[in-house]
Amino acid sequence: MLRLILNVVWLVLSGFWLFLGYMLAGIVACLLVVTIPFGIASFRIGLYALWPFGRDVVRDPRAGAASTIGNVLWIVLFGWWLVLGHIGTALALAVTIIGLPLAWANLKLIPVSLLPLGSRIVDSDTYMPGQPVLR
């Protein structure tokens, strides 16, 4: 029940706007064939940003060199801007006690915003560490 309340408050205060931003970025990235993997990653992050409580980001051990090269390009072009934005938003949300869990959720978005390729978003209740990540 607490996750539902946190997700609804998150959705109203910042989740919806983050979702729209990531969806817009995904659409723009999909306009060029070369950047479609970035667009797909942006869509995944956007859906995660819409409803983050109760989900976690894990690295896919099967991710190879292509995801590493893509992540380096992502960091140079987009990742560091996203991290700065999430840190700034987290600081703003942390001003109030009610905003602390929302600030934590914003910080939780940093790893996937920085290295989206080769990451998977999983349900916290069903995923066990060490279990293979399904695509």
Side-chain angles (χ1 to χ4, degrees), residues 17-36:
W17 303 109
L18 284 170
F19 169 76
L20 288 180
Y22 278 111
M23 290 299 120
L24 180 63
I27 290 169
V28 170
C30 285
L31 292 177
L32 298 171
V33 175
V34 177
T35 56
I36 287 176

Side-chain angles (χ1 to χ4, degrees), residues 37-63:
F38 294 151
I40 293 169
S42 187
F43 293 144
R44 264 188 305 139
I45 299 168
L47 291 173
Y48 180 49
L50 189 63
W51 206 258
F53 293 97
R55 299 193 295 175
D56 287 316
V57 176
V58 296
R59 295 295 300 164
D60 188 348
R62 297 173 292 184

Side-chain angles (χ1 to χ4, degrees), residues 69-114:
I69 293 167
N71 278 331
V72 169
L73 287 172
W74 177 274
I75 289 170
V76 170
L77 299 174
F78 313 109
W80 66 280
W81 284 102
L82 293 169
V83 169
L84 290 176
H86 283 298
I87 290 172
T89 307
L91 290 172
L93 287 169
V95 171
T96 65
I97 292 174
I98 293 171
L100 284 175
L102 304 178
W104 178 250
N106 225 324
L107 294 175
K108 205 170 99 169
L109 282 162
I110 289 176
V112 74
S113 295
L114 190 61

